[in-house]
Amino acid sequence: MKTLPYIGALCLSLFASSVYSATFTFTAIPDENESQLRTRFDKVAVYLEKELGVEVKYVPVKSYSAAVTAFRNNQVQLAWFGGLSGVQARRLVPGSEAIAQGYEDQFFKSYFIAHHSTGLEPSANFPALKGQTFTFGSKDSTSGRLMPQFFIERNLGKKPEEVFKRVGFSGDHSRTITQVQAGVYQVGAVNYKVWETALADGKIDTTKVKVIWESPVYPDYQWTVRAGVDAGFGAGFKAKLTAALLNMKDADLLASFPRQSFVSAENSDYEPIENVAKTIGMLD
Amino acid sequence: MFAKTVVSKAVPYALGYWQKMTIGLWLLACGCFMLADTEVIALEPWSELGHMLLGVLQPDFFATEYLLEALWQTVSFALLGVCAGLLWGAPLALVYHKPWVAAFCAFIRAIHEIFWALLFLQLFGLSPVTGILAIALPFGATFARVFHDIISLAPADTGQNLPAGTDMLSRYVFGRIVHVSGQLQAYIRYRFECALRSSAVLGFVGMPTLGFYLESAFKQGQYHQGGALLILFVLLIGSISYWCRARLLPLYLLLALVFLPELPAIDGHLIWRFLSQDIWPPMLQGVSHLEQLDLQRLNALGSWLFTLLEKQALPGIFATLILALVALAMTHVLTLLWLPLVSRKLRGKWTVFGGKAMLLVLRSLPEYLLAFVLMLLLGPSMLPAMLALALHNAALLIFLTTRQSDKLVVSAQFSPKLDNYFYEILPRLYPGVMALLFYRFEVILRETAIFGMLGIATLGFYIDSQFVEIRFAGALVLMCFTAMMNIGVDALGRKILKGQKVPLLGC
């Protein structure tokens, strides 16, 4: 019978309620170059710690859905989300707010890229894609899946599986470029910044793959803070945090995201993304 | 054919049991292959493959941050997962003959570690508990099954020699388990190797193991980093017998517990929220009384289920079965062709060593990476996934079979030629190979889930999509379909192998 108290304690600990930890935690997934993730974002944590006066910790995650889950479960109170994941997170935790976005995120866009064998040429008009094979990026990417699928459906009036001979999900922007360049898929949709960086680094063979269409602009990545941080970390915490993010000027820190600067944002900026997600059936 | 010597002594010229089995499997697989999407297209993969090769030849061991931590966590998750799995799986082996226990375990085994992890992520958050449970659950169910199979083959007559009045537990332990304890230990050792692989793969969904960095590196074309991680992983698995000694296990376990990543408190609210909201279909959320279940809601539920079934579950099951069956037959053919090449009875020491090194690499490589390379060569059909599964599983099968075949005692007339091999050795190995193959079928079915993440529309693809869209009810329904499919396959497999005295090669 000696074990009984221990079992009791174990059960109690199972149902202990969540308390705000004194540590402020955040997560971020950059849209390119995930190498040295922790080392890079630990520097951001140090910056925030200095500005906010509380202990700040970076939690590495692997996917947008993991970031959304961590946000929902209060394992992180702040996250650098993509357009779609931000909308998902704010719907799951009412009262959460988008407080800042990258300068570039005010007018983000996707590129459609094509293998040379398709004979498709750059054009301002939506390309003739019927019967091609096509790859998106990862399933939950705003620039690699959500917006491209929306533009396809709006311009061609059909679901991607009806337009294309084969539809794939490469899982990542860099991989989309690799696959279209090798001809695994004939056409693909990719985040414009990832393309520009890879091009500048000489990683793209432009005789094999080129941009054939630029999408209209839409809002993308943003910092979202969880509801109730003022109660957990003191009055005015959210305002202080917002100011700290907007005042981040160190090029080394900004390069981790990678953005030239942060500008202010609010939830309503992302209504277009939410509507698009509903239109293509990714949100109820 | 070779198998004739085993079974057709009594009835000459009739097809033996294993011949029927083999031909049946091949015919079924040919049929499936016709239905499968296996289009090969001409590609230009060479520059990318060149970069990959260069990455493996010039690995950069310093590109990965927290590398030692990742290596250690890979070992630690595997160790703790296997121990927890043993704790709940081994006792269940004693009652595994009950059909509902077998079905329950088949249910648990059917679901890929990655999906268990995604599920536990909702309950425990990013915590080591998530990773360890994701290993412990399916591994426990496998232990239950295999331990039961091993114990049931132990000689039963020792019990009669025990003194009268011996209690049941002693009777069981000293009468039966002692006979097979060597086999049980060998099996646990083998499963530890599997757990290391699983532990690494859990990194794909965010656990802090090698897979976390490996997947990013390959995804984003950092091949020098990826090559280094791959080499480390293969070395880790290849050297298990050197560092994983029985004497050291308690020490490792202690270290694993002490150096576990920080354990966030388990939050009862999360578990309650998951059970009371998340797992219910959207139209049932917020229903607290039975009276609220009106016709309209029930209709909505019906059409939700029907759409899920028609658009995802059925096409998913179809693709999964086709992919898995063809992969199974390919595994079989590859195994038979490859087995003589690494047999010590036929080949010289160095040939065998080289062959075994290649097997080690192939069985350690995550199928996911293999499929990606093959995709660059063959195009985005099902073919790369089939070949990746076949290569990986054949390598494992041969690894397990040669452990046995090298110990076989051959007749004085035996000469190291292929016909001698077919006459004398293969017939003795064949039933074991086939039994292993049927075991592996379940694993192959489960592994198809991974290819869902590469965009091949198996059940895993649809489950992954449901998780991405934060629709847990849909994910759970599809996981139940996966599990039911596996229960069916498991029952069928038992029926096929029933009555065949199949030696378990410590599978």
Side-chain angles (χ1 to χ4, degrees), chain B residues 159-167 171:
Chain B
Q160 293 157 9
N161 302 332
L162 293 171
T166 310
D167 63 285
R171 194 168 277 281

Side-chain angles (χ1 to χ4, degrees), chain B residues 125-157:
Chain B
L126 280 166
S127 152
V129 176
T130 300
I132 292 164
L133 275 183
I135 295 178
L137 220 55
F139 274 62
T142 312
F143 281 132
R145 173 200 190 164
V146 176
F147 281 10
H148 166 262
D149 289 357
I150 293 177
I151 294 170
S152 67
L153 286 175
D157 38 8

Side-chain angles (χ1 to χ4, degrees), chain B residues 296-315:
Chain B
Q296 199 192 346
R297 276 183 202 271
L298 285 179
N299 262 333
L301 178 66
S303 72
W304 178 80
L305 268 177
F306 183 76
T307 316
L308 206 56
L309 194 72
E310 190 200 3
K311 295 270 191 278
Q312 306 194 10
L314 291 179

Side-chain angles (χ1 to χ4, degrees), chain B residues 65-234:
Chain B
E65 51 177 2
Y66 303 98
L67 180 60
L68 286 178
E69 194 182 313
L71 266 171
W72 167 247
Q73 293 306 350
T74 309
V75 176
S76 147
F77 278 37
L79 205 59
L80 293 171
V82 166
C83 284
L86 275 172
L87 280 180
W88 83 268
L92 265 193
L94 308 181
V95 285
Y96 196 82
H97 55 272
K98 295 200 192 328
W100 68 268
V101 178
F104 170 74
C105 289
F107 190 106
I108 304 270
R109 285 196 310 265
I111 291 159
H112 197 279
E113 294 95 286
I114 282 199
F115 294 138
W116 282 122
L118 287 176
L119 211 58
F120 291 135
L121 211 55
Q122 312 305 321
L123 294 173
F124 308 114
L126 280 166
S127 152
V129 176
T130 300
I132 292 164
L133 275 183
I135 295 178
L137 220 55
F139 274 62
T142 312
F143 281 132
R145 173 200 190 164
V146 176
F147 281 10
H148 166 262
D149 289 357
I150 293 177
I151 294 170
S152 67
L153 286 175
D157 38 8
T158 319
Q160 293 157 9
N161 302 332
L162 293 171
T166 310
D167 63 285
M168 261 187 39
L169 185 66
S170 311
R171 194 168 277 281
Y172 196 78
V173 171
F174 295 105
R176 304 207 66 165
I177 293 188
V178 168
H179 285 295
V180 288
S181 66
Q183 255 177 299
L184 295 178
Q185 279 171 25
Y187 184 69
I188 296 171
R189 266 200 298 278
Y190 160 64
R191 285 305 286 179
F192 179 61
E193 183 187 314
C194 301
L196 278 177
R197 262 195 300 274
S198 297
S199 172
V201 166
L202 286 179
F204 294 4
V205 292
M207 293 296 122
T209 58
L210 274 180
F212 190 100
Y213 305 103
L214 187 69
E215 202 249 4
S216 296
F218 270 93
K219 199 168 69 177
Q220 306 195 320
Q222 319 272 4
Y223 294 126
H224 297 285
Q225 183 192 0
L229 289 169
L230 215 53
I231 290 170
L232 280 176
F233 186 56
V234 172

